[in-house]
């Protein structure tokens, strides 16, 4: 029931190609799901976190997970820890770093720090030129009149025509007795470019001259449902800005930063924080982490002629969004993660699964892709339930799943995972319930 062959790059359902890296197959020796008494559980990027302080030991033992992003090198980890020694999860730190470096290089290439000028160069400097991997190296090449192809901490970005990575890596992880997760393999994948880009997805109108100082705004979760994703992304941006300024800044001046809290899960915070960043003169806003939060402010940001670039947005909604060429991301579309999750569940031998997902732009889009690719592989989704993330409890949703007797459950969630897992255990369908 495998979705793809492990040793070659092949087209999958006419929408992507996948292959394992040299780091090993997700189903290599020693990485099979651990023995458990309950129902096999799968997490995604929104809820793959360190739960060692949240559950009794062994609660999540054997849970499998997918997380976009390749292996984070020790050297990069140490650089991040010098910025913030308290960072535990490094999720999307490389992508946040690259989003910042990339946008700064776009300003260098444009010789202009205005949002529209940056947007016009953002895609081109990720493909087709001389390879470079640091701000200084790339900026020096641009100063010599050389076209560049920036490859960063998150790998080869290669943005497509709508500003999303056309090539990316998804990691396969497994939780242990300590309720923390470890990598067991990686899958590389590509998504094809779109043949027709609409006018409302392109930069248009006159390009204004910037004020000479490139200013980044960070709209990232210091609070809310995905606040665990905030610290590594803030650190990634801080590290990039430190290195940019050590290398001479942009257009002869130091880059500046304004910080905002996206307040994921608190819908009234992001719009007001966005206003604060715009009033402060942000040329580029890095964020939000949550796709739903980004969708709530994307028109405000791009309508102001400011670039929005996210390190964590994975919803497929951005693939066709009328952003006027001003929105970008360094995380891949969930078309890719959906395929990898479907493949992982299938190869683990599960023929009847349930999907439990939060009802928002992120959860619905990823759930749809998991379902589509899993069913294409021959599997059956016996229960497909969307839930309100703000619900007091999830008893009714869990009972719906239990009634269908699934072999496995794909939980597409954020911080409410801490409430849902006990409900699953109580119903007798937890990982080790």
């Amino acid at each position: 029931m495998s979705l793809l062959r492990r040793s070659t790059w092949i087209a999958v359902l006419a929408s992507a190609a996948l292959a394992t890296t040299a780091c090993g197959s997700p189903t290599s020796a020693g990485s099979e799901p651990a023995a458990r008494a309950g129902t096999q559980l799968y997490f995604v990027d929104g809820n793959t976190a360190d739960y060692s302080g949240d559950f009794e030991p062994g609660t999540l033992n054997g849970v499998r997970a997918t997380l976009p992003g390749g292996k984070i090198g020790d050297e990069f980890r140490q650089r991040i820890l010098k910025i913030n020694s308290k960072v535990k999860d490094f999720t999307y730190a490389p992508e946040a770093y690259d989003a910042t470096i990339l946008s700064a290089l776009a300003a260098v290439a444009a010789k202009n720090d205005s949002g529209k000028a940056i947007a016009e160069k953002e895609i081109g400097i990720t493909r087709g030129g001389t390879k470079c991997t640091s701000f200084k190296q790339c900026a020096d090449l641009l100063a010599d009149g050389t076209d560049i192809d920036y490859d960063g901490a998150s790998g080869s970005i290669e943005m497509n025509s709508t500003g999303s990575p056309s090539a990316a890596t998804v990691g396969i992880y497994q939780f242990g007795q300590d309720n923390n997760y470890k990598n067991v393999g990686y899958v590389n994948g590509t998504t094809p470019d779109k043949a027709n880009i609409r006018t409302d997805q392109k930069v248009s109108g006159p390009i204004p001259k910037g004020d000479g100082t490139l200013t980044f705004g960070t709209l990232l979760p210091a609070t809310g449902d995905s606040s665990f994703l905030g610290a590594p992304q803030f650190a990634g941006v801080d590290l990039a800005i430190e290195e940019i300024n050590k290398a001479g800044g942009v257009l002869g001046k130091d880059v500046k930063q304004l910080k905002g809290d996206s307040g994921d899960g608190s819908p009234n915070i992001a719009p007001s924080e966005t206003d604060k960043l715009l009033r402060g003169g942000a040329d580029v806003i890095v964020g939000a982490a949550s796709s739903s939060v980004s969708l709530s402010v994307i028109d405000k940001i791009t309508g102001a002629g400011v670039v929005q670039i996210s390190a964590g947005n994975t919803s497929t909604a951005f693939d066709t969004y009328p952003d006027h060429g001003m929105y970008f991301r360094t995380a891949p579309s969930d078309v890719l993660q959906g395929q990898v999750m479907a493949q992982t569940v299938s190869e683990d031998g599960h023929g009847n699964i349930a999907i439990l997902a939060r009802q928002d732009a992120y959860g619905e889009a990823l759930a749809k892709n998991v379902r589509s690719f899993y069913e294409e592989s021959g599997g059956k989704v016996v229960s497909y339930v969307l839930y309100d993330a703000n619900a007091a409890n999830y008893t009714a949703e869990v009972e719906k799943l239990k009634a269908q007797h699934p072999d496995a459950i794909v939980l597409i969630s954020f911080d409410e995972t801490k409430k849902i897992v006990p409900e699953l255990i109580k119903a007798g369908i937890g990982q080790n319930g």
Side-chain angles (χ1 to χ4, degrees), residues 165-176:
S166 60
T169 299
V170 177
I172 312 298
Y173 295 82
Q174 186 162 304
F175 283 78

Side-chain angles (χ1 to χ4, degrees), residues 26 65-70 169-173 183-187 337 340 344:
T66 55
L67 182 63
T169 299
V170 177
I172 312 298
Y173 295 82
N183 176 260
V184 294
Y186 292 98
V187 177
Q337 184 178 191
V340 175
T344 303

